[in-house]
Amino acid sequence: MSNPNIEIVPLGEASQRGYWRYNSIADHPEYVPIDPEKVAFMRKRISERMPTGVVSDAVRETFAAPAQYRPATRSMFPGGLGYVQTSYIGSLVLPEWQAQPIGGRPKEAASYPVTGTEKFTINDREIGPGEKPDRVDIAVSFTALTLKVYGGSVMVEDRERDEAAGNLAGLDLDMYKLGVIETATNTLKEKHQATLVKTTGNYSSGTYYTTLSGTTQWSHASGVAVDNIAGAKRTVAKGALEDPDLLWLSADAFTALRKNAQVLTAVQYGGDKVSPGTMVPPSTLVALFGLNIAIGGARNATTPGGAVSEIWGQDAGLVCTAPGQMLGVRFGVTATSTAYPYQATERQGLIGGRGGDESVYTDAWKVAVVKSTAGYLWVNASTAY
């Protein structure tokens, strides 16, 4: 039975349906690039000088011969390696597809492109004299969904505006209040993105997530973060037929990884002047693991003035994001629309006796899993610092 939510689109028309917000992690305004020569140098030093017992033999092989687990014809990662440390990382972990409404469809109707395994299909048919090769028709599957709208409104009375002008010089009260709603809406989107990635039921099976506790956490002296990440990379590569390219970290997991005993021991043989007991910089983690890194610091409260908590908790994970590719293997997606965000202001002449202006800010999105084997999750990778 055909899926009514799947639409087949000719390859030449795919780009008309929308575009990816971040074509690569390098497009993020807070991206910090890493010198590829540093990556190559560290891998060489680790493979040649690291003593036996620091990491497992299987992990050492990945440093010595990366071609064993990554196809040699595939460039490492478009845009180079680097890291982003900011409040919002959800649209990097779940790439944001900005759909273009077409054919008179509602602005909340969106679809995003998915990819299959067609490139692995072989045609073992000999072509005889006078015969034509079999034709291969390439089309793109789009999954349709309906976006959900979120946001809020603010009121600025004329009397309030006059008082602010006299006592808060230089403050644009209208823009300030509207900015609060915009920030709250963006934080809600980050919460939805983190919830999807941090939910174990969104992964193919228990093979793709692990709950760490006690001595297995990266914050513990016995935690083996290098072995954990190297093993998870292979799990994803085998299940998704693509290597993960992004390591996302909660703020606590980031701190734990920088101080992890196995990481500190490993980088002694990687060319960095780091001694046990110190914290390595983000650039060292990027060079060590050969992955882009996103560190999330967003916080939220469910009620005004309520308790504030960190959205990404103490978890960490790996995902495929297909950077720089229109079509590619991705764990998940954040579907949005070019018709949003929306902002409007309306005059309310009866408010406060002198009137005022009501402004509204809304945005629309929906997060979805695209390929449940294209990610790996560590629940409670670290204790809370």
Side-chain angles (χ1 to χ4, degrees), residues 76-102:
M76 196 165 189
F77 299 113
L81 286 170
Y83 66 93
V84 167
Q85 185 173 3
T86 183
S87 293
Y88 301 131
I89 63 169
S91 292
L92 292 174
V93 180
L94 299 178
E96 191 168 318
W97 172 259
Q98 296 187 300
Q100 177 68 46
I102 60 172

Side-chain angles (χ1 to χ4, degrees), residues 287-307:
L288 176 63
F289 297 117
L291 292 162
N292 289 316
I293 296 178
I295 305 107
R299 299 172 175 86
N300 77 295
T302 56
T303 58

Side-chain angles (χ1 to χ4, degrees), residues 160-173 176:
E160 182 185 18
R161 190 181 289 112
D162 292 343
E163 184 176 352
N167 298 300
L168 300 171
L171 174 67
D172 187 329
L173 189 60
Y176 173 79

Side-chain angles (χ1 to χ4, degrees), residues 321-353:
T321 69
Q325 301 178 47
M326 170 68 176
L327 301 175
V329 175
R330 296 176 173 88
F331 173 75
V333 64
T334 304
T336 63
S337 170
T338 55
Y340 286 90
Y342 173 79
Q343 178 183 332
T345 300
E346 184 177 75
R347 182 67 180 174
Q348 301 290 341
L350 303 180
I351 296 294

